[in-house]
Amino acid sequence: MLSSALKSSSLLRGPSAARCLSAWAQVEMGPPDAILGITEAYKRDTDSRKINLGVGAYRTDAGKPYVLNSVAKAEQNILQQSLDKEYLPITGLAKFTSAAASLAYGNTQALERVAVTQSISGTGALRIGGAFLERFHAGKAIYVPGPTWGNHGAVFRDCGLKVGQYRYFDPQTNGLNLAGMLEDIRALPKGSLVLLHACAHNPTGVDPTAVQWAEIQKVVEECEHVAFFDMAYQGFASGDVDRDASALRSFVEANKAPVLLAQSFAKNMGLYGERVGTFSVVGADSAEKDRLLSQVKILVRPMYSNPPVHGARIAGEVLSDSGLRQMWLGEVKDMADRIIRMRAALRGELEELGSKKSWNHITDQIGMFCYTGLTPAQVDRLASEFHVYLTRDGRVSIAGITTGNVKYLAESIHKVTKD
């Protein structure tokens, strides 16, 4: 009897018993992140010619991360002030949020109607916006372009919204499917939530022209839809912060469609790890703005209570100090210009090699990303034979291209596409 009891006790202490007693035994292994998988494969590759075109972060022509001089100087100014580390208000640092709203919407009277809160970068802004819409909009569904940033669907679904799609990218032209986009937006239920990329569409790099934006705005307004702009690249797309915000500002100025905005300073200030952004919603007047902001506070309080202070101080300092602001505007244009030069260089090298394919879309598209039109099989060959890594949908991060690797990259792409 004692021997039997000891045996049972020993079994209970074994690995199988631990599995039986675990409260999390039913939790399945989640799928790996596609971008992280590319980075890991790149790191394992020992070939000196290897190129990583998967990461969505700016790199210098030497392939290195870049801390903007304006950001470094702003940080020095802040450190010299020996500021405390007290909690911020729920809506964040006012110096930053007011300057960020002005950057986005322009110095207009519309700012009096804008309810704005600091957010955990652009992703956090989208999450606040999704929660706000789930609570206060009757539709409970949001429609995003096809394709869109991979995290959009996950963020909105986790907010309790259904996620639909409208046509956007035309794989035949590697450009905008405007007719399909307008047709789909018209067909949505009246008053639907429509997500729009303000500039530098991720992942395609395909932006509407000013004329096309006017057509899109007209349809959204006629259908009484709600426009939720995601603006992660202001200044980084064209090099001009006003041009990149022109679609957003046109909607707000017309004041015919409700407007929300998720704004990020990861790309245009290089504040990736500081997680600096804002969420804002435009009210009908200042009284409505106050009501909206009161509800945003109620949403944020149980979500993360209040935002981090350091990155907001940096961005606020850059935007508020006239000297630093001018320095930053120059630097963000320099970053945008390097991306534009690399697009031209890649297209030029491919054409020089005698490629029979049209590569006009490389320079027609804008911003950090380019939808190359490469097939999954061609992407796989680039990785296995040429040590070039990108996502299997053919999206290239132009920031990973340098004057030192563009010729090899073009040769590699030519070899996998010439058959």
Side-chain angles (χ1 to χ4, degrees), residues 126 133 141-149 151-153 156 163-164 166 168 181 185 188 192-198 201-202 213 216 220 225-231 260-262:
L126 291 164
L133 292 169
I142 188 166
Y143 297 88
V144 302
T148 194
W149 180 48
N151 217 15
H152 277 146
F156 292 130
V163 180
Y166 58 84
Y168 188 86
M181 178 183 185
I185 292 175
L188 298 177
S192 290
L193 308 173
V194 179
L195 183 88
L196 300 166
H197 294 233
H201 181 274
N202 180 3
W213 266 121
I216 294 164
V220 170
H225 295 329
V226 176
F228 190 171
F229 281 90
D230 185 357
M231 188 159 66
L260 305 91
L261 171 67

Side-chain angles (χ1 to χ4, degrees), residues 248-368:
L248 166 71
R249 293 178 185 178
S250 180
F251 271 76
V252 174
E253 183 180 352
N255 200 22
K256 294 179 180 178
V259 172
L260 305 91
L261 171 67
Q263 179 185 26
S264 169
F265 289 87
K267 305 295 194 301
N268 60 9
M269 279 195 188
L271 295 174
Y272 302 98
E274 299 290 357
R275 314 306 295 144
V276 185
T278 73
F279 166 73
S280 55
V281 54
V282 183
D285 50 40
S286 59
E288 183 170 279
K289 175 200 74 173
D290 292 341
R291 296 198 306 275
L292 294 170
L293 193 59
S294 73
Q295 293 296 337
V296 168
K297 290 177 182 178
I298 290 169
L299 287 169
V300 168
R301 178 66 170 137
M303 194 181 291
Y304 56 84
S305 192
N306 42 40
V309 66
H310 188 65
R313 283 175 173 163
I314 294 172
E317 183 79 0
V318 170
L319 294 174
S320 302
D321 181 285
S322 60
L324 291 177
R325 182 186 177 94
Q326 285 306 120
M327 183 185 295
W328 169 68
L329 290 172
E331 290 181 301
V332 76
K333 186 178 189 307
D334 287 344
M335 290 191 292
D337 286 349
R338 193 186 91 74
I339 296 294
I340 292 169
R341 287 196 303 273
M342 289 302 99
R343 286 181 177 277
L346 178 59
R347 175 183 168 183
E349 290 286 354
L350 284 163
E351 291 173 349
E352 185 72 20
L353 288 164
S355 176
K356 294 181 173 58
K357 290 183 173 292
S358 171
W359 297 103
N360 292 7
H361 58 280
I362 295 177
T363 51
D364 290 343
Q365 295 170 14
I366 195 169
M368 184 175 288

